[in-house]
Amino acid sequence: MGKEEINLTQYADDTTVFVENTTSVEALLRLLKKIKKRFGLEINTHKSEALWLGSWKERLDKPFGFKCYTDSVYALGIHFSNDANLVDKLNFHGKLEKLEKILKSWKKRKVTLYGKINIIKTLGLSKLIFSASVLPISENVAQEVNKLTFKFLWDAKPAKIKKSTITGLKEKGGLKMMDFDHINKALKCAWINRFTNGNKGPWKIIPDNATAHLGGFSFLLQCNYKVKDLDVKNVPHLYERMLKYWEEVTCLADKADLNPNVTFIWNNKHIKINNKTLFFSSVVPQRNLQN
């Protein structure tokens, strides 16, 4: 990817292998056969799932004995597909139905407002956290989650306290009720800290490569950008959302300062030519991109 190469990633007992073409798959299977002879570990190709991606997504053949699917595959708790709407449906709609059932089961019990908020946090929204942390969420899903939770909170009656108040901190008169839109944004922004913590990880190559035309993800986070001014049409939606929500955070923190000593001119929302922000890789020192 770009000038970098990712061969595999591992987490606990899960291994993800990145291959370029079918020839690479053949080489991988030969390697696994050698491992089988040495350690007795064997891959069950008949139970292995595969999904054609990118320019190959229309292929219907099923090589190597894998189960090949045209719609989606399931791995590490997430459904993957070339269809964004199907990804949304498979990863969230079922969880929304479970959320609704859980809240209904508590509906007839006499529970205080504090109790209901704890039920929403521990038994309801917890089921959505993992998917929300690694996938972009449509506005419809976020709205439906809030609709279900606030309906349960107020027994399907008009709200007695403003949403902005009840979701506030207790020391400011709120009850720390969860707004799922805020949760979603916080989960996406948490990746910014992981990305900039100085630890090396092959996954960091992906967002950097996707935004290489803007200087890379690391460099872009140092810029005084505005997502709507950037060329992000080919940037994966997850990373585009991260940048958008981080933009909101930096605006709240009043980081956007035009002091020339601390602000890059590149990708700067206040510096444009023909209504477009600037970035020329040929004149930006490589050390600036890496710092």
Side-chain angles (χ1 to χ4, degrees), residues 39-253:
F39 301 105
L41 301 175
E42 180 180 11
I43 182 173
N44 190 333
T45 55
H46 297 294
K47 288 186 177 180
S48 299
E49 298 179 353
L51 178 71
W52 293 113
L53 299 172
S55 60
W56 285 356
K57 64 182 180 181
E58 303 298 332
R59 288 182 60 165
L60 300 175
D61 52 314
K62 301 179 179 181
F64 315 115
F66 294 151
K67 288 182 179 179
C68 289
Y69 296 92
T70 56
D71 50 1
S72 69
V73 293
Y74 182 77
L76 298 174
I78 297 293
H79 293 273
F80 296 88
S81 174
N82 289 299
D83 184 342
N85 291 326
L86 184 60
V87 168
D88 222 28
K89 180 180 179 181
L90 294 175
N91 287 295
F92 293 106
H93 289 201
K95 291 181 174 66
L96 285 176
E97 291 175 1
K98 289 180 181 179
L99 170 62
E100 187 173 15
K101 287 180 181 178
I102 289 170
L103 298 181
K104 279 185 177 180
S105 70
W106 284 88
K107 187 177 179 181
K108 294 182 180 180
R109 306 183 189 186
K110 292 183 179 180
V111 184
T112 64
L113 208 56
Y114 284 105
K116 287 182 178 180
I117 291 173
N118 283 329
I119 290 168
I120 290 169
K121 289 180 180 179
T122 57
L123 302 179
L125 297 183
S126 59
K127 300 184 181 301
L128 293 159
I129 296 300
F130 176 64
S131 296
S133 68
V134 296
L135 294 170
I137 298 178
S138 68
E139 289 186 8
N140 291 337
V141 170
Q143 289 172 359
E144 184 62 22
V145 173
N146 278 340
K147 179 181 176 182
L148 290 171
T149 54
F150 281 92
K151 181 180 178 181
F152 169 72
L153 185 67
W154 299 118
D155 296 320
K157 297 175 182 178
K160 298 177 182 178
I161 304 174
K162 285 197 307 182
K163 185 177 178 181
S164 59
T165 299
I166 200 169
T167 56
L169 298 174
K170 291 181 180 179
E171 53 266 32
K172 294 186 178 181
L175 295 178
K176 293 188 71 175
M177 168 61 183
M178 306 303 289
D179 183 328
F180 190 69
D181 187 48
H182 294 169
I183 293 175
N184 175 42
K185 291 180 179 181
L187 289 170
K188 300 303 188 293
C189 287
W191 283 103
I192 303 298
N193 179 57
R194 298 185 189 109
F195 192 85
T196 57
N197 62 12
N199 296 330
K200 291 186 177 181
W203 66 270
K204 296 182 179 182
I205 297 171
I206 300 173
D208 254 339
N209 186 74
T211 54
H213 61 293
L214 299 169
F217 207 74
S218 302
F219 177 74
L220 191 52
L221 292 174
Q222 302 174 63
C223 299
N224 188 16
Y225 68 85
K226 201 165 191 174
V227 170
K228 74 178 186 66
D229 296 330
L230 302 176
D231 178 14
V232 292
K233 59 180 180 295
N234 293 320
V235 175
H237 192 43
L238 176 64
Y239 301 127
E240 184 268 332
R241 290 292 88 188
M242 288 181 192
L243 291 170
K244 174 61 180 173
Y245 299 149
W246 188 245
E247 174 194 324
E248 294 179 13
V249 171
T250 55
C251 284
L252 288 172

Side-chain angles (χ1 to χ4, degrees), residues 229 271-278:
D229 296 330
I271 304 173
K272 301 179 183 180
I273 296 179
N274 295 327
N275 208 33
K276 293 183 179 180
T277 54
L278 311 177

